[in-house]
């Protein structure tokens, strides 16, 4: 397994290349904030999708979550929209390749990193470490969308561990952040966003030398990473320019020694399982007690409960599920994996509750994944189903399992702050002789 530092690695570690970003022309849109979106899998549908669509006719959600009668039509529509926006000058390609310094700030939260075109490496080289499983149907959908648009529409969030000092890539970031930005905007969640282009070849090389000594953890974007690898594998016999484009993927790299990420839980909504049925099917396998609301207070009760614990709601009452029966865990949780994996809340939820007790298949029509606890509760109440509210795990736990090659149950973590979608895109340039 690749260690976090060491120039002896034959893989060369992280190889981040500049690219010609495709960006909104500020004078062609209402505001930069109005055309951005959260990542595609964070948008709460249908209300959040409609809100973004009506914020500006050119909102990026029309590319990442197009609406049409069937998937193939959606993807073709996104491709036509992208081509039209570029032809009309709504999206404009930067004149020269660059790495992009990206800053997010809200209150005492400050995150800075580098957006670039990352060379894809085989999973067994351990340069990029996934920590969650993926859903094949989501990878298929994202692959079809990227294939049709010939573009990376939103960056993955990757974290790496530097030495905490302002050297190498961090030095480039800090120097650049003292210059006037390419763009500056504040989105409705209160985050300010600033973007700079690094085009100086010496600064790009300085950052590259540093990054080539590191491996990265996928903090957000496992499905898009799996999509990148799938699309690259399809390029046998492609023309050189197109094959080179799919050999890379759009990422944001953040040094968490200097800018620690926040790790939040991802909650589950079971639209077809009522709270009454959920409680009846548990057969005493968990201890259950009612806790006081409102939601923030109930979540504090969850956070302070030792061992595996979950908050079950959907009928206006918060119930704490805790103290699972050891015999159930022995039967339901797969063996042969590290103890820290077997003790994860997500492992126990999916193995013991969803599979063994509730018999709920983990498919998109049966289990919804929401990053916001209030939205999960509201959706469960509206649908007559159940919300299972989760706790976050630490970055150290995630990274430790990833280095052992152990993946967590999908949607186990939500790292943030996540990059806003729409500030810079990476698209295949169809004009001969020009770099992608």
């Amino acid at each position: 397994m690749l260690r976090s530092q060491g120039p002896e690695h034959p893989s060369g570690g992280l190889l981040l290349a500049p690219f010609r970003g495709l960006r909104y022309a500020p004078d062609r849109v209402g505001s930069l904030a109005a055309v951005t979106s959260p990542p595609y899998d964070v948008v709460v549908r249908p209300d959040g999708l409609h809100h973004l669509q009506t914020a500006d006719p050119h909102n990026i959600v029309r590319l990442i979550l197009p609406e049409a009668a069937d998937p193939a039509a959606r993807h073709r529509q996104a491709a036509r929209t992208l081509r039209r926006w570029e032809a009309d000058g709504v999206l404009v390609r930067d004149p020269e390749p660059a790495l992009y310094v990206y800053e997010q700030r809200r209150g005492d939260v400050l995150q800075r990193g580098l957006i670039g075109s990352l060379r894809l490496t085989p999973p067994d080289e351990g340069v990029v470490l996934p920590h969650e499983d993926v859903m094949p149907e989501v990878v298929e959908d994202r692959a079809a969308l990227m294939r049709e648009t010939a573009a990376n529409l939103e960056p993955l969030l990757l974290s790496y561990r530097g030495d905490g000092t302002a050297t190498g890539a961090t030095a480039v970031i800090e120097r650049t952040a003292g210059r006037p930005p390419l763009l500056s905007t504040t989105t409705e969640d209160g985050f300010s966003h600033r973007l700079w282009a690094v085009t100086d070849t010496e600064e790009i090389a300085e950052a590259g030398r540093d990054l080539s000594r590191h491996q990265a953890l996928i903090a957000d974007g496992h499905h898009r990473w799996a999509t990148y690898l799938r699309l690259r594998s399809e390029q046998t016999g492609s023309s050189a320019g197109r094959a080179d484009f799919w050999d890379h993927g759009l990422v944001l790299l953040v040094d968490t020694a200097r800018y620690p990420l926040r790790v939040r839980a991802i909650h589950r909504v079971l639209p077809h399982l009522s709270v009454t049925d959920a409680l009846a099917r548990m057969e005493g396998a968990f201890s259950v007690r009612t806790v006081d609301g409102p939601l923030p207070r109930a979540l504090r009760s969850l956070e302070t409960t030792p061992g595996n614990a979950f908050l079950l709601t959907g009928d206006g009452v918060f119930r704490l599920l805790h103290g699972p029966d050891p015999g159930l865990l022995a039967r339901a949780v797969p063996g042969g994996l590290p103890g820290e994996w077997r003790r994860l809340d997500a492992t126990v939820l999916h193995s013991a509750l969803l599979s063994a007790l509730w018999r709920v298949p983990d498919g998109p029509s049966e289990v919804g994944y929401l990053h916001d606890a209030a939205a999960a509760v509201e959706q469960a109440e509206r649908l007559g189903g159940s919300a299972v509210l989760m706790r976050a795990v630490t970055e150290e736990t995630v990274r430790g399992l990833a280095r052992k090659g152990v993946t967590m149950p999908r949607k186990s973590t939500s790292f943030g702050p996540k990059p806003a979608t729409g500030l810079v895109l990476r698209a295949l340039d169809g004009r001969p002789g020009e770099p992608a």
Side-chain angles (χ1 to χ4, degrees), residues 157-356:
L157 174 60
L158 305 184
S159 74
Y160 70 98
R161 298 288 293 180
D163 59 12
T165 64
T167 58
T170 300
V172 173
I173 290 170
E174 300 302 323
R175 286 197 304 268
T176 303
R179 304 166 188 164
L182 283 176
L183 64 86
S184 178
T185 190
T186 299
T187 45
E188 61 181 17
D189 59 4
F191 270 99
S192 66
H193 307 262
R194 296 198 294 171
L195 191 76
W196 297 261
V198 178
T199 57
D200 181 83
T201 55
E202 291 186 4
E203 288 193 313
I204 291 172
E206 180 182 357
R209 285 191 298 272
D210 180 26
L211 294 172
S212 70
R213 301 165 54 241
H214 295 279
Q215 64 183 172
L217 176 73
I218 300 177
D220 185 67
H222 282 81
H223 289 91
R224 282 166 283 165
W225 179 255
T227 300
Y228 288 172
L229 297 179
R230 175 170 178 169
L231 292 172
R232 184 193 60 174
S233 71
E234 296 175 356
Q235 296 309 305
T236 303
S238 296
S239 62
R242 178 171 287 270
D244 183 67
F245 180 84
W246 296 116
D247 276 344
H248 295 75
L250 184 64
V251 304
L252 166 64
L253 279 166
V254 174
D255 177 2
T256 54
R258 192 165 183 88
Y259 298 107
L261 296 175
R262 295 177 300 165
V263 188
R264 301 172 63 185
I266 301 178
H267 311 289
R268 275 65 169 164
V269 174
L270 315 177
H272 306 306
L273 179 70
S274 69
V275 173
T276 300
D277 286 345
L279 293 170
R281 295 181 193 181
M282 287 172 57
E283 304 168 348
F286 279 74
S287 297
V288 181
R289 66 181 174 91
T290 301
V291 296
D292 293 335
L295 178 59
R297 185 173 182 178
L299 288 171
R300 285 195 292 273
S301 297
L302 174 63
E303 291 291 344
T304 57
T305 301
N308 296 119
F310 314 92
L311 205 58
L312 176 70
T313 189
D315 60 352
V317 178
F318 297 103
R319 295 175 180 84
L320 187 70
L321 314 183
H322 63 105
D325 174 56
L328 169 66
L329 298 184
R331 294 190 304 273
V333 176
L337 289 164
E340 57 263 47
W341 181 88
R342 302 183 81 248
R343 292 188 293 269
L344 289 170
D345 282 349
T347 299
V348 172
L349 171 68
H350 284 261
S351 300
L353 279 170
L354 290 181
S355 181

Side-chain angles (χ1 to χ4, degrees), residues 67-99:
E67 290 193 298
D70 60 77
R74 289 198 297 269
H75 304 143
R76 289 193 299 269
Q77 176 178 298
R80 287 194 299 268
T81 301
L82 177 60
R83 289 193 294 268
R84 184 175 70 252
W85 287 357
E86 189 168 7
D88 291 347
V90 174
L91 288 170
V92 179
R93 204 174 293 261
D94 283 335
E96 56 184 320
L99 298 179

